[in-house]
Amino acid sequence: MADFEGNKSAASGYLRRFLDQVTGHYLSGEMRVPPGAETFSNVAPSDNSSLGQVVAGTAADVNAACEAARDAFPAWRDMPGNERKKLLHHFADLVVERAEEIALVESMDCGQPIRFMQQAAQRGAANFRFFADKAPEARNGLALHQEQHTNYTIRSPLGPVAVITPWNTPFMLATWKIAPALAAGCTVVHKPAELSPLSAMLLAEISHAAGIPAGVWNTVNGFGEVAGKALTEHPAIKAVALVGESATGSHIMRQGADTLKRVHFELGGKNPVIVFDDAHFERALDAVVFMIYSLNGQRCTSSSRLLVQSGIRDRFLAALEQRVKALRVGHPLDPATEVGPLVHSGHFEKVMSYMDIARRDGATVAVGGTRRQDLGPGNFVSPTLFTQADNSMRVAREEIFGPVLTAISFATEEEALHMANDTEYGLSAYIWTGDTGRALRMANQVEAGMIWVNSENNRNLPSPFGGAKMSGIGRDGGDYSFDFYMETKNVCIAHDTHKVPVLGR
């Protein structure tokens, strides 16, 4: 990746077309801007300047996308898995070819530092390659033998599915959802978040260039209240996969109830990182800083609650304060930047409101808590650390979704377990200890869908990814994704040796 000035120059070139023309939809294999369509302004988090106008999709637009997906489904479903595999690998190749463009557009659109976004294309391509390789076996099931019968299972794709993705790391999360749907044989209607829609249009372009048939991949821009609602209520859509807020998941469940849609939700979290006295001090410190301040704290799996044992509390918090103060806040295209601007001014105001909430509840703002006015009119917040907190405070219970960490002290393993589970969320948790037995006990008892022991968030594509409680329904990854996007059928064949019950003879 180039230096700061080089990045700005290249990004300006890639973004020019979005300024020069309205960003519409991708329907039935072509880009469309409906005549007379209403639009909204897409803004850059770094200075709140316009990145261009985007079509606010209507129910009619959504209907066109859903009908296209419905019409394209039979041929895509019936295409041999090896053929889908070739197309999806070709898609991944084209993603890698456009890696610089994807990274720079994504960084400017959502405010994530380029140091994290420069791997977005590679991660997205890896998602497609992983599921492409599984496409030929997607229909495979199990053989289940009985003494007088043999059962076997087969899987078939559900049909058209809706994929609704968030604004924080939109490119990677879109590929994470769409790749298994296509590999399974489903067609897709994708609605990206209105706050960062640009990389979704790059994906749609790449799908066209890769030769994915018209109607198999459709993208509709717009707001959740209109386009999202129409999509989740549409009778052609058989399932909805969402990454977003817990409240949005509740709305979608209601909206899809009349048509009994299958749902998969990856939702919010207030994830604990539990650091015991016997943890490897420096490694735990590195992981704590990384898992809340990377990606601007705008990640569902961020460890936003630090539970630190009393024996190392003072030393750990002192070291943590110095690290947080040293974090480099700046423009997202600057390679030196570690924390960039928040995605939108409205979200910035929400995050900033927690500074006063923390003080009113009795916590100490040990570091940060202010707007970085020296960086101009963008949505820059100083990385923040709350100390002297307890688990009853709002800053310990509510998802702030920014570079804000709440530190709480505990004395015993039992107390740490109680604090970790005393939340409505259950997406992930991180445990740092040198005691293997304790690690196993805590991993078994912490109420979360994913546990990392002595590690930051580590990605393993075959492993299940998802949350418990208010953090989600269902699992992504490997065959878990196919379980969602496919219907399982059992076939029972008799050996002609069992006695058939007789009535009326």
Side-chain angles (χ1 to χ4, degrees):
M1 194 63 64
D3 61 17
F4 185 19
E5 292 303 320
N7 284 342
K8 287 197 294 185
S9 177
S12 178
Y14 290 130
L15 291 166
R16 173 53 55 187
R17 65 189 179 107
F18 296 109
L19 284 165
D20 290 344
Q21 59 190 32
V22 173
T23 298
H25 311 308
Y26 180 68
L27 306 175
S28 297
E30 61 182 32
M31 295 293 178
R32 296 185 193 174
V33 177
E38 292 187 8
T39 64
F40 61 91
S41 182
N42 180 36
V43 299
S46 57
D47 60 5
N48 287 302
S49 64
S50 177
L51 291 173
Q53 294 295 306
V54 181
V55 169
T58 65
D61 298 333
V62 170
N63 184 61
C66 293
E67 289 184 348
R70 181 197 60 203
D71 293 345
F73 172 64
W76 184 250
R77 174 197 61 201
D78 296 339
M79 179 183 288
N82 277 322
E83 293 303 310
R84 288 202 300 274
K85 175 181 176 179
K86 292 176 185 176
L87 285 172
L88 298 182
H89 269 293
H90 185 34
F91 179 97
D93 292 339
L94 296 179
V95 165
V96 173
E97 288 179 13
R98 295 178 69 171
E100 180 188 74
E101 176 188 9
I102 291 165
L104 293 172
V105 169
E106 181 102 315
S107 189
M108 282 297 294
D109 200 19
C110 65
Q112 298 288 12
I114 193 66
R115 66 167 59 218
F116 302 119
M117 292 298 98
Q118 63 188 0
Q119 294 301 316
Q122 282 75 11
R123 292 186 70 186
N127 289 336
F128 266 83
R129 295 193 197 286
F130 176 81
F131 286 107
D133 287 339
K134 294 183 73 66
E137 65 189 55
R139 293 177 180 267
N140 292 354
L142 301 172
L144 305 166
H145 296 283
Q146 298 172 271
E147 183 177 347
Q148 295 177 315
H149 294 80
T150 294
N151 291 266
Y152 68 91
T153 65
I154 53 177
R155 297 190 294 196
S156 58
L158 284 177
V161 299
V163 173
I164 303 175
T165 50
W167 44 255
N168 52 334
T169 51
F171 185 88
M172 197 285 292
L173 289 172
T175 64
W176 180 228
K177 294 291 187 182
I178 294 173
L182 296 180
C186 294
T187 53
V188 170
V189 179
H190 178 208
K191 197 205 88 62
E194 60 268 21
L195 296 182
S196 56
L198 300 187
S199 62
M201 304 317 295
L202 302 184
L203 277 170
E205 289 178 355
I206 294 169
S207 77
H208 183 82
I212 292 176
V216 171
W217 184 316
N218 306 274
T219 301
V220 179
N221 282 301
F223 296 94
E225 297 85 352
V226 178
K229 184 172 184 290
L231 180 57
T232 56
E233 291 178 346
H234 200 284
I237 296 298
K238 304 306 179 185
V240 180
L242 164 76
V243 182
E245 294 181 296
S246 298
T248 305
S250 297
H251 287 310
I252 289 174
M253 288 192 81
R254 286 190 289 270
Q255 290 158 195
D258 288 345
T259 49
L260 293 178
K261 293 193 194 317
R262 186 177 293 186
V263 295
H264 181 288
F265 297 153
E266 181 196 328
L267 306 175
K270 194 66 179 176
N271 310 301
V273 53
I274 308 166
V275 182
F276 286 94
D277 289 345
D278 61 357
H280 190 296
F281 189 94
E282 292 299 331
R283 289 174 64 84
L285 181 62
D286 287 343
V288 166
V289 173
F290 179 78
M291 280 309 303
I292 184 60
Y293 298 109
S294 62
L295 298 176
N296 302 344
Q298 296 173 154
R299 64 158 65 176
C300 57
T301 54
S302 66
S303 47
S304 55
R305 280 190 300 155
L306 167 62
L307 309 182
V308 58
Q309 198 164 18
S310 53
I312 61 168
R313 176 192 58 202
D314 293 345
R315 178 182 168 218
F316 197 88
L317 291 181
L320 179 59
E321 286 186 25
Q322 294 306 309
R323 291 285 294 275
V324 178
K325 289 176 182 177
L327 288 168
R328 293 184 289 274
V329 182
H331 194 284
L333 297 186
D334 187 343
T337 293
E338 295 173 317
V339 178
L342 301 185
V343 68
H344 188 266
S345 58
H347 184 62
F348 172 85
E349 295 301 333
K350 174 206 167 185
V351 171
M352 289 302 298
S353 72
Y354 281 94
M355 310 309 169
D356 289 335
I357 290 170
R359 294 184 180 97
R360 286 199 301 268
D361 285 354
T364 297
V365 183
V367 182
T370 60
R371 179 174 196 155
R372 286 293 302 271
Q373 294 181 332
D374 58 307
L375 295 173
N379 309 319
F380 295 96
V381 60
S382 298
T384 299
L385 173 64
F386 298 139
T387 59
Q388 303 297 319
D390 64 59
N391 214 47
S392 69
M393 295 179 181
R394 287 180 62 187
V395 293
R397 308 198 69 79
E398 298 176 9
E399 186 179 38
I400 300 173
F401 218 63
V404 180
L405 177 61
T406 300
I408 305 168
S409 178
F410 70 89
T412 66
E413 180 180 322
E414 292 73 21
E415 188 180 4
L417 179 64
H418 174 76
M419 287 182 182
N421 290 340
D422 182 21
T423 173
E424 64 182 355
Y425 296 109
L427 184 58
S428 64
Y430 305 83
I431 301 164
W432 286 86
T433 179
D435 185 328
T436 301
R438 172 189 284 151
L440 292 170
R441 290 191 301 272
M442 293 292 290
N444 184 56
Q445 295 174 350
V446 170
E447 297 167 351
M450 297 172 288
I451 307 289
W452 281 272
V453 177
N454 294 336
S455 178
E456 76 291 357
N457 179 332
N458 172 261
R459 195 169 87 122
N460 181 45
L461 293 179
S463 295
F465 188 103
K469 300 194 282 190
M470 291 294 287
S471 288
I473 297 172
R475 296 293 182 268
D476 282 313
D479 250 24
Y480 298 93
S481 293
F482 288 155
D483 284 343
F484 174 69
Y485 290 115
M486 305 188 81
E487 199 71 78
T488 298
K489 179 189 296 184
N490 186 75
V491 179
C492 179
I493 300 176
H495 300 171
D496 296 335
T497 59
H498 75 290
K499 181 178 179 181
V500 179
V502 176
L503 293 176
R505 182 185 296 176

